[in-house]
Amino acid sequence: MWNDLRAHYETVKDRRFETMVDADRAADFSANLGDLQFDYAKTNIDSEGRKALFALLDQAGVGAKRDAMFAGQKINETEGRAVLHTALRNLDGDPVIVDGVDVMPDVLATLERMDDFAAAVRSGAFQGQGGKITDVVNIGIGGSDLGPAMGVLALAPYHDGPRCHFVSNVDPADIAGVLRGCDPETTLVIVASKTFTTIETMTNARTAKAWMGQSVADPAAQFAALSTSEQGTADFGIAPDRVFGFEDWVGGRYSMWGPIGLSMMIAIGPDAFRAFLRGAQDMDRHFQAAAWHENLPALLALVGIWHNQICGHATRAVLPYDNNLSRLPAYLQQLEMESNGKGVSMDGEDLAVNSGPVVWGEPGTNGQHAFYQLIHQGTRVIPCEFLVAARGHDDDLHHQHQLLVANCLAQSEALMKGRDLDEARGKVADKFDGAELERQAKHRVFPGNRPSVTIAYPKLDPHMLGQIIALYEHRVFVEGVVLGLNSYDQWGVELGKELATALQPIIEGADASGKDGSTSGLVDFLRSHGV
Ligand SMILES: O=P(O)(O)OC[C@H]1O[C@](O)(CO)[C@@H](O)[C@@H]1O
């Protein structure tokens, strides 16, 4: 199957796909869920290639594995866990059974507790020791940070609760900078950690508690916790009524829909948060029911597989022409690279194909004035993923939004069409001639034939954000199943954690002689400068 696809790629790779992009192809190579539109016409995937890609889905058993995931089966085989972030947005409460027990009553009860607490913080019914909460500081890292941080920024136009800050890095500069701007008497600290053992988070949480303890009589009273660890949160001194628990079947990078989303709920309010969940639930249903040629997560995954595993393009740029999505690339880096950045199959064999791609990006139009040079004229092809809204949130500045949209569409057009040597000559023929004209023209050639996809929607509201994030989650699932790996463990983060623990005493002064020459040399250098 992979070989068939590679062979097919050889037959299409030099074809100028701009010649294929007529209205029929645009209609055929696009799909939608309501008013969320996905266009993949500007790629060199043709009908035959697409058919072969659909065959990959069937060969890998994506449909059956999808159903197993939604049904609560333990598809995270290396950790023996179900994968049920979808239960967190199953607002209608249809039963989801894990180990013979319906998890939905607990999920919905926790959501209601979150609603009540968020409403109390927003209204002032829950107070700090100096009065109404003005600032919320979420302390967490990875999935306990990136989701809510991305979401709060994405929904900034809907933010009508207290200010929200996110502290993740163990670098003291992070927490010191945030706490400097907060009043301990009116700040709520949320410690977000699935395990409640993550060293960065626990270190920052202790720092925050000490900071608060200098000003208020009962610092723990202004702390809440989001965790699977009842013991850990109790040991930290946080009262059970401010602990919001979840189960081990919620992966860290898939957790913003439940308690880990509390800061977001406090920012935008329970109703808007539920609209966000509803958007995700709509995407879940679409993913479960739509045929492959209409199924947005499947299509997005297959286009990615085509570009990475078949064409060999190792990275993908995510380019939101929506400034409020400026943390989306960072969020997707964890979602996609921690999920599908693996070299071993579910069965413990070496992976037969490349793992998932490097994901990176920045919002447009900023990126245009930074790295797009390489995207247009560099020697490597970088498939691009544009996101664009028809409307922004500032109607009086709509003409400015139109300029943003024009830039977005111009970029995908430029990547596809490029500019040949003749046209490039025409651009400078009035300034140069002879050999200099040839030289100057060559610099102005754009190879074109560079693929991109576009995700377009009316406006980035909570419901739409929910749809988009769930779309990306399911894309990861499909890609993981097709590649034959486990998207839901993350053993690759462990070694560095172990070595950091072992190095800490050395940094604090213990003997470094057992370390390799480079590491002990760096320890010596840093010691000589006061580490
Ligand atoms: O929520 P926790 O348990 O503090 O973990 C934080 C992050 O650390 C990781 O385990 C990786 O180090 C992520 O998967 C997770 O999102």
Side-chain angles (χ1 to χ4, degrees):
M1 202 67 82
W2 291 107
N3 285 341
D4 291 351
L5 272 160
R6 284 192 196 104
H8 183 66
Y9 172 56
E10 290 304 315
T11 70
V12 298
K13 72 176 187 199
D14 296 324
R15 195 191 297 166
R16 300 287 304 185
F17 59 78
E18 66 176 288
T19 60
M20 313 191 295
V21 184
D22 56 13
D24 286 345
R25 178 174 164 89
D28 191 12
F29 285 73
S30 61
N32 67 290
L33 167 56
D35 48 16
L36 174 60
Q37 180 80 8
F38 173 56
D39 176 295
Y40 61 108
K42 293 188 182 97
T43 66
N44 59 17
I45 301 173
D46 62 3
S47 301
E48 207 182 315
R50 184 170 59 183
K51 214 165 133 197
L53 288 166
F54 288 150
L56 275 185
L57 299 178
D58 295 328
Q59 191 193 33
V62 171
K65 292 202 170 109
R66 170 199 60 200
D67 297 345
M69 173 175 75
F70 277 93
Q73 288 179 31
K74 298 194 175 172
I75 63 162
N76 174 357
E77 293 178 17
T78 57
E79 296 180 316
R81 291 176 183 168
V83 173
L84 274 180
H85 44 281
T86 51
L88 300 176
R89 58 229 189 187
N90 176 19
L91 290 175
D92 304 326
D94 302 344
V96 178
I97 310 295
V98 180
D99 291 330
V101 178
D102 180 8
V103 301
M104 286 316 301
D106 272 359
V107 167
L108 295 179
T110 302
L111 183 59
E112 272 175 32
R113 285 185 56 231
M114 287 169 64
D115 283 352
D116 292 346
F117 184 65
V121 172
R122 287 162 59 84
S123 69
F126 174 88
Q127 297 236 328
Q129 283 149 80
K132 190 173 176 184
I133 296 295
T134 55
D135 294 85
V136 174
V137 177
N138 184 88
I139 297 178
I141 196 164
S144 300
D145 165 74
L146 287 163
M150 177 276 295
V152 167
L153 192 57
L155 299 178
Y158 301 86
H159 191 151
D160 55 3
R163 288 181 289 269
C164 283
H165 314 269
F166 292 87
V167 172
S168 53
N169 204 325
V170 78
D171 183 339
D174 195 6
I175 191 150
V178 167
L179 296 185
R180 253 196 300 278
C182 296
D183 177 351
E185 298 193 351
T186 58
T187 295
L188 170 70
V189 177
I190 298 177
V191 186
S193 175
K194 178 176 167 179
T195 54
F196 230 70
T197 56
T198 304
I199 190 136
E200 292 92 335
T201 300
M202 298 323 296
T203 306
N204 278 322
R206 284 190 291 271
T207 300
K209 202 170 169 191
W211 166 81
M212 200 171 274
Q214 288 165 9
S215 309
V216 305
D218 184 5
Q222 278 171 234
F223 272 64
L226 322 173
S227 184
T228 58
S229 170
E230 274 176 37
Q231 189 59 51
T233 55
D235 291 348
F236 195 83
I238 303 177
D241 62 325
R242 289 189 311 284
V243 175
F244 300 87
F246 52 103
E247 300 295 326
D248 68 3
W249 38 256
V250 182
R253 52 194 175 274
Y254 297 86
S255 62
M256 67 184 298
W257 316 99
I260 295 294
L262 181 64
S263 53
M264 199 174 148
M265 188 193 256
I266 293 174
I268 62 175
D271 291 344
F273 190 79
R274 278 174 186 258
F276 167 68
L277 298 185
R278 186 68 72 186
Q281 189 184 25
D282 290 348
M283 183 56 69
D284 293 343
R285 289 184 174 153
H286 166 81
F287 179 46
Q288 288 176 284
W292 293 140
H293 68 281
E294 293 171 343
N295 196 304
L296 297 186
L299 292 170
L300 215 58
L302 290 177
V303 173
I305 287 168
W306 172 260
H307 287 144
N308 181 13
Q309 279 79 15
I310 306 301
C311 309
H313 307 320
T315 86
R316 183 176 105 248
V318 176
L319 307 166
Y321 278 68
D322 197 327
N323 204 54
N324 290 335
L325 285 177
S326 58
R327 291 295 283 162
L328 181 69
Y331 173 81
L332 292 181
Q333 281 175 337
Q334 187 198 17
L335 181 67
E336 299 197 26
M337 292 161 76
E338 197 168 76
S339 295
N340 290 348
K342 287 153 194 174
V344 172
S345 75
M346 188 72 97
D347 298 332
E349 304 291 335
D350 288 345
L351 216 60
V353 288
N354 280 328
S355 53
V358 175
V359 178
W360 60 284
E362 281 287 324
T365 59
N366 294 1
Q368 292 176 203
H369 299 271
F371 53 79
Y372 277 42
Q373 164 65 43
L374 184 145
I375 292 183
H376 283 289
Q377 288 188 317
T379 53
R380 292 188 182 88
V381 173
I382 297 171
C384 293
E385 195 160 285
F386 296 99
L387 292 103
V388 65
R391 297 197 73 86
H393 289 84
D394 300 286
D395 286 343
D396 48 335
L397 296 176
H398 185 59
H399 65 285
Q400 196 165 328
H401 185 83
Q402 289 173 325
L403 183 56
L404 175 76
V405 174
N407 270 276
C408 180
L409 299 187
Q411 289 300 327
S412 61
E413 189 182 345
L415 284 166
M416 174 173 69
K417 290 189 173 159
R419 171 176 287 156
D420 66 17
L421 191 56
D422 263 355
E423 206 184 328
R425 274 193 205 102
K427 285 279 165 192
V428 283
D430 59 333
K431 293 199 195 77
F432 306 105
D433 56 19
E436 186 58 11
L437 171 60
E438 290 308 297
R439 188 167 78 98
Q440 292 285 348
K442 196 87 200 290
H443 286 276
R444 290 160 172 82
V445 167
F446 290 70
N449 229 22
R450 301 205 158 186
S452 69
V453 300
T454 301
I455 295 169
Y457 42 91
K459 194 179 200 169
L460 190 65
D461 61 19
H463 184 269
M464 185 54 69
L465 182 70
Q467 285 193 319
I468 291 172
I469 300 305
L471 167 62
Y472 277 107
E473 287 180 344
H474 294 319
R475 169 215 197 119
V476 168
F477 170 85
V478 173
E479 184 183 83
V481 173
V482 171
L483 301 186
L485 50 78
N486 182 2
S487 302
Y488 301 101
D489 60 14
Q490 55 282 323
W491 302 109
V493 302
E494 294 304 324
L495 180 58
K497 286 185 193 171
E498 283 166 27
L499 292 181
T501 306
L503 263 163
Q504 193 169 354
I506 295 176
I507 301 295
E508 288 169 2
D511 180 23
S513 57
K515 289 285 167 190
D516 64 86
S518 164
T519 306
S520 58
L522 288 166
V523 168
D524 286 347
F525 173 83
L526 292 166
R527 275 188 189 152
S528 73
H529 289 278
V531 70

